[in-house]
Amino acid sequence: MSTRKICTRFAPSPTGHLHVGGARTAIFCWAYARANGGNYLLRIEDTDQKRSSDDATAGFFEDLKWLNIGWDEGPEFEGSGGGENGPYYQSKRLAIYNEYLQKLLDAGLAYYAFETPEELDTERKLARKEKRAYRYNRAALELNQETVQQYLDEGRPKVVRFKVPEGGPIVVHDAVVGEVQVERNEVDDFVIFKTDGFPTFHFAVIVDDALMGVTNVIRGQEHLNNTFKHVLLQDAFGFERPTFSHISLIFNPDGSKMSKRDKDKALRTFVREKNVESPPNDCIPTESWSAWLGSKDVQLEISEANDLAAALGIQLPEINVEDFQRAGYLPEVLLNYLCLLGWSPGNDIEQFDADFLINNFSLDRIVKSPAKFDRAKLLAFNLDALQKISTEEFETRLLDWCTKYAPEFAALGDKFSLFASANHERSKTFRDAVETSKFLIDDDDAITWEESKPVKKALLKGEVTGLSRLPAIIEAFTTLETWDAESIDACLHALADSLADGALGKVAQPVRVAVAGGPVSPPIGDTLVLLGKEATLRRLSRCLEHFSAVCDV
RNA sequence: GGUCCCAUCGUCUAGUCAGGUCAGGACACCAGGUUUUCAUCCUGGGAACAGGGGUUCGAAUCCCCUUGGGAUCACCA
């Protein structure tokens, strides 16, 4: 068809955060361009004045960068972007859109319309009530030229509509879905310029795609129906149609659409079930709290949602790319996993890196059916990836992560290295390492022992309880001169021999529970070195005192 | 409701386009085993072609219908 250089684009609307569906689209666009020696460009679709924000735009840049899919052309950001076909913000391309609009107007392919949104809404409701499809009735086409001019001169609010030409069915060839067609009368004279003087999405997209040399449009399947409008417009301008690829949506495991609202949903459900009366710790102003609780259409600011979740002690579902970063996933793993949702390289290959992707990506292996997002599989992939990297790399990356999300651990100083290596093999995510090591940064006196099953088992159960062995352990540790993992292990082995017929668990586990407050910690030697001798002894003593006081030992 | 799209284990998928291996892999699950805890790790196991019609010697694969799921019907993108 065309010998033009391949060019794909990712064109987000900066109204929120980059979510996994958008990220997957971006990855596919990026991979297709790379696989074909083409260009991958980023364009910011901010024609919705009310909802777009600069913060959101910056967030998109960072998320894309974190995933390591830099763009060749587009807004300049940390080495990505630039290019001849800018500006890459639609809000800065008004003059261009007006120029193209005029062409349509001159050709009689577009016309002004003056109905108010309320009037149209009434029409729509009526159509719905009468169970017929709503189409704009072309009333404005009946207006004679003088009237139109008069309205224009009066400054009446106006929109511009595209005049759908006569013809047969509209046919679109989609590289993923195949041939799709619709009867022409299904498409009404849609608005291409809004009252605020900005083009609508449909208009801006096709003008930009054409002017920027986009050859392949890869986007979510929610756009499939829009495509009929787009090709009509493209044909009207005489633009070469790009190759369309509509990829299926990503859903939650329960089949609902994965949405940013899921966070509010999770919070609201929790708040209702537990009858939380007011915002804990005043993390949310009372007015917005009641508004939020009252309507499922009201969403909290992302920071408010995070604060509330933290205050309530619940985990919000990860939806946005940043959520996965915060949760301690590796960007290359998220990229890998996202690819698998709707694409597969075949040959039973599942785990691969970006190089493999760009060497093997092709549109004809994209799956048409929608996919559900399975966090368990992502987690398993992350574990595999974490175990594959060297301990040095794990340490470096964990430190980066902690600096951003767990500064108290980043402040571990010369102990960080041991903290990292002790957690390398056992962590599924970076957050895992931190969450199971809270006891490391807690004060010695802040440790409490919840009497859970494993705690009781380690300290209170059996003919000879773990607790009863603590005095001997404390004594041995007190006289232990060298405080390193080997010495501690040797000491514990000796204690196990003398106290428990060599059963290391009988002495190691009580120690672990005593110092950590629970049954989970890195290998006992590392745990105690990390804590230091002083803290270890203090915690052992406190534990002994605590349980001696509350029960007969 | 109109229009459009989709349909293989619980989940992601290979196999479908060029009909012919007891439908393969991964995650999850279950049962054993290793390990001083957790997490790992090892071994084994159950688990799918939505239903019905055709076409054919032969259908997961091609066609039709049904059912189910989804998207979309804005001066949002």
Side-chain angles (χ1 to χ4, degrees):
Chain A
M1 261 214 294
S2 167
T3 55
R4 294 187 295 168
K5 182 179 182 180
I6 294 291
C7 180
T8 63
R9 47 64 161 187
F10 178 56
S13 168
T15 54
H17 294 256
L18 179 60
H19 59 94
V20 289
R24 188 193 54 175
T25 303
I27 292 167
F28 284 4
C29 288
W30 174 85
Y32 186 74
R34 287 282 181 283
N36 292 283
N39 245 8
Y40 161 58
L41 81 79
L42 178 65
R43 183 175 68 224
I44 304 300
E45 310 223 324
D46 54 355
T47 52
D48 185 341
Q49 302 249 278
K50 292 187 210 90
R51 299 198 304 163
S52 302
S53 84
D54 293 345
D55 280 356
T57 306
F60 275 76
F61 292 163
E62 272 161 31
D63 290 340
L64 258 13
K65 277 290 182 182
W66 180 69
L67 282 170
N68 210 7
I69 46 173
W71 49 103
D72 307 306
E73 225 181 294
E76 294 188 34
F77 181 81
E78 290 181 4
S80 277
E84 304 287 303
N85 302 311
Y88 296 97
Y89 291 84
Q90 291 189 327
S91 59
K92 295 184 182 156
R93 298 173 63 81
L94 251 191
I96 299 169
Y97 302 133
N98 276 308
E99 181 193 328
Y100 277 85
L101 172 64
Q102 196 57 49
K103 292 185 187 189
L104 242 35
L105 251 11
D106 291 346
L109 287 167
Y111 59 93
Y112 293 107
F114 303 90
E115 290 86 355
T116 64
E118 293 72 35
E119 287 169 341
L120 295 174
D121 208 43
T122 311
E123 284 283 319
R124 237 173 248 123
K125 280 181 180 144
L126 188 67
R128 184 84 192 185
K129 200 175 156 196
E130 294 173 357
K131 293 202 171 192
R132 59 183 164 82
Y134 168 78
R135 306 268 182 276
Y136 175 65
N137 61 13
R138 288 190 157 179
L141 263 185
E142 308 296 318
L143 267 30
N144 62 39
Q145 273 205 313
E146 291 74 42
T147 314
V148 171
Q149 196 54 52
Q150 185 197 329
Y151 285 174
L152 253 25
D153 293 343
E154 285 172 6
R156 278 206 195 193
K158 61 173 190 302
V159 298
V160 183
R161 286 179 182 272
F162 178 67
K163 188 178 167 190
V164 175
E166 299 290 311
I170 307 166
V171 183
V172 172
H173 298 275
D174 188 287
V176 171
V177 182
E179 192 180 284
V180 188
Q181 70 169 50
V182 80
E183 291 306 318
R184 188 160 292 241
N185 60 20
E186 293 294 334
V187 180
D188 69 353
D189 287 355
F190 55 97
V191 173
I192 54 178
F193 258 71
K194 302 181 272 188
T195 307
D196 66 3
F198 275 82
T200 59
F201 158 72
H202 307 298
F203 188 87
V205 160
I206 69 104
V207 169
D208 289 345
D209 282 346
L211 265 39
M212 293 177 182
V214 172
T215 58
N216 288 77
V217 172
I218 302 171
R219 59 178 19 164
Q221 219 161 57
E222 71 268 23
H223 286 296
L224 188 55
N225 286 296
N226 291 329
T227 308
F228 301 112
K229 293 177 179 163
H230 296 178
V231 297
L232 246 25
L233 238 22
Q234 278 154 350
D235 293 353
F237 278 117
F239 293 149
E240 188 172 340
R241 290 187 188 181
T243 300
F244 292 99
S245 302
H246 286 97
I247 57 181
S248 63
L249 273 14
I250 299 177
F251 293 99
N252 283 316
D254 69 1
S256 62
K257 192 177 174 183
M258 228 176 157
S259 140
K260 40 199 147 197
R261 295 184 177 212
D262 292 349
K263 295 187 186 207
D264 292 81
K265 203 168 138 191
L267 286 168
R268 225 178 254 122
T269 305
F270 184 87
V271 164
R272 292 230 177 91
E273 277 175 4
K274 305 278 172 180
N275 287 315
V276 182
E277 300 278 336
S278 59
N281 308 339
D282 295 323
C283 60
I284 295 168
T286 319
E287 319 76 86
S288 34
W289 168 267
S290 44
W292 172 74
L293 251 188
S295 165
K296 63 179 179 356
D297 295 324
V298 178
Q299 288 178 57
L300 293 175
E301 291 296 319
I302 197 84
S303 59
E304 291 177 334
N306 286 337
D307 290 350
L308 179 57
L312 296 174
I314 65 173
Q315 189 85 39
L316 253 25
E318 298 95 351
I319 303 293
N320 301 320
V321 168
E322 202 221 330
D323 298 337
F324 290 94
Q325 184 182 3
R326 181 188 304 275
Y329 290 92
L330 258 19
E332 62 269 34
V333 172
L334 186 61
L335 178 129
N336 181 178
Y337 179 72
L338 251 20
C339 283
L340 253 25
L341 258 28
W343 181 79
S344 128
N347 294 117
D348 293 338
I349 296 170
E350 286 202 309
Q351 297 192 356
F352 48 80
D353 59 17
D355 277 341
F356 177 90
L357 177 64
I358 61 181
N359 283 320
N360 291 278
F361 188 79
S362 70
L363 297 174
D364 55 19
R365 293 198 64 90
I366 291 181
V367 178
K368 292 197 251 188
S369 50
K372 290 176 185 166
F373 195 97
D374 180 6
R375 287 192 181 73
K377 185 155 179 169
L378 174 66
L379 197 60
F381 275 33
N382 208 61
L383 171 74
D384 288 345
L386 246 19
Q387 294 196 338
K388 244 177 257 170
I389 61 178
S390 69
T391 298
E392 292 72 37
E393 188 182 345
F394 179 78
E395 182 184 335
T396 309
R397 298 179 73 167
L398 178 62
L399 182 57
D400 284 347
W401 186 85
C402 286
T403 304
K404 194 163 180 184
Y405 296 108
E408 64 278 21
F409 282 88
L412 240 30
D414 51 8
K415 280 187 176 171
F416 190 87
S417 190
L418 179 57
F419 162 67
S421 63
N423 280 286
H424 184 190
E425 279 182 79
R426 49 194 297 283
S427 299
K428 292 186 172 184
T429 64
F430 290 139
R431 181 169 292 288
D432 249 11
V434 158
E435 290 217 315
T436 56
S437 298
K438 272 207 170 66
F439 67 92
L440 271 186
I441 52 163
D442 285 340
D443 275 350
D444 295 339
D445 296 339
I447 301 296
T448 55
W449 297 271
E450 188 195 338
E451 288 191 38
S452 61
K453 227 176 169 182
V455 168
K456 282 185 188 163
K457 187 184 175 199
L459 295 175
L460 308 174
K461 292 279 164 72
E463 277 186 36
V464 184
T465 65
L467 200 64
S468 70
R469 297 193 176 101
L470 286 186
I473 296 170
I474 292 171
E475 197 187 332
F477 279 171
T478 307
T479 56
L480 190 61
E481 306 234 333
T482 316
W483 196 256
D484 60 27
E486 293 74 38
S487 313
I488 291 167
D489 275 348
C491 179
L492 283 172
H493 272 103
L495 284 164
D497 286 341
S498 59
L499 300 176
D501 293 329
L504 193 50
K506 299 269 192 216
V507 295
Q509 194 59 1
V511 170
R512 168 174 286 113
V513 170
V515 301
V520 179
S521 91
I524 194 69
D526 291 336
T527 299
L528 299 190
V529 172
L530 245 11
L531 242 21
K533 182 170 175 176
E534 201 185 320
T536 299
L537 289 171
R538 176 156 178 80
R539 289 177 184 208
L540 288 171
S541 303
R542 274 194 71 237
C543 180
L544 189 56
E545 279 169 32
H546 171 80
F547 281 98
S548 304
V550 296
C551 54
D552 263 346
V553 189

